[in-house]
Amino acid sequence: DIQMTQSPSSLSASAGDRVTITCQASQDINNHLNWYQQKPGKAPKLLIYDASNLETGVPSRFSGSGSGTDFTFTISSLQPEEIATYYCQQYHDLPFTFGPGTKVDIK
Amino acid sequence: QVQLVESGGGVVQPRRSLRLSCAASGFTFSLYGMHWVRQAPGKGLEWVAVTWYDGSKEYYADSVKGRFTVSRDNSKNTLYLQMNSLRAEDTAVYFCARDAMRGPPNTEGMAGSDYWGLGTLVTVSS
């Protein structure tokens, strides 16, 4: 199975700050990576697919990059409503494994 | 609009069985692969199982293989998860989710989930 790691596991940032999360796969997954946002008590929401493509309706302050084994997710200007846990997920091969998540809160 | 509504969760004793359902609407159910994903209390997301759009294939996480069975009834727009021999570590919120169907050839187009239900809580406890 492909293992996914994320860092940091949590972070605190001020509103308006740039936030960056990294995700690493245990083997080459090309660009077959999703990023999800999950707010407390809610279902996950798909933000980015194919490592860098924004899902329809997602604000452009969210972005993703990377290919192979190393990926980055960025919020260019953190908004208070974006307090959530963010997960990467590979879909290069089954089982479709998730990263452990990065919890983002406001300083 | 796409809607997925899970049901069937509850409290169940260890080693017993439970069947979850997921009612789909707002899209052509028979054209999409469907997933189950779970989340233990205070923990991260764990992918559980997937069924192909026509029910011809399934794939399971090692943690549930041999105990859980995913199935679907395309005439009823409903996805199921039969859970047998339940363990305390199966306690979680179970989400059904639609596959985005834009993945690579080696996964036959499967690409993770673009729409999710709200989840149903399963608690395994004596």
Side-chain angles (χ1 to χ4, degrees), chain A residues 8-94:
Chain A
S9 57
S10 65
L11 65 91
S12 280
S14 300
D17 281 355
R18 183 181 184 88
V19 168
T20 299
I21 298 168
T22 62
C23 174
Q24 188 168 58
S26 60
Q27 65 187 72
D28 187 341
I29 61 169
N30 199 328
N31 67 333
H32 303 138
L33 187 89
N34 291 326
W35 287 98
Y36 298 91
Q37 174 194 67
Q38 187 181 31
K39 297 182 180 180
K42 302 293 187 182
K45 175 185 176 183
L46 179 63
L47 300 179
I48 289 172
Y49 65 94
D50 287 351
S52 61
N53 290 336
L54 219 55
E55 185 73 351
T56 303
V58 173
S60 58
R61 61 181 174 273
F62 294 100
S63 64
S65 64
S67 186
T69 60
D70 296 300
F71 302 87
T72 301
F73 171 82
T74 300
I75 308 173
S76 61
S77 177
L78 184 67
Q79 303 300 303
E81 61 268 27
E82 283 145 18
I83 300 313
T85 300
Y86 293 84
Y87 296 91
C88 60
Q89 180 200 33
Q90 65 81 20
Y91 53 91
H92 184 71
D93 201 6
L94 288 160

Side-chain angles (χ1 to χ4, degrees), chain B residues 100-114:
Chain B
M101 302 301 289
R102 52 192 171 203
N106 60 300
T107 66
E108 298 186 35
M110 299 286 197
S113 304
D114 58 355

Side-chain angles (χ1 to χ4, degrees), chain B residues 2 20 22 27 29 31 33 38 40 42 69 76 84-85 88 93-95 102 105-106 108 113:
Chain B
V2 173
L20 305 183
C22 171
F27 65 102
F29 182 70
L31 296 182
R38 69 184 180 183
T69 303
K76 295 182 178 178
N84 298 333
S85 303
V93 173
Y94 285 74
F95 297 99
R102 52 192 171 203
N106 60 300
E108 298 186 35
S113 304

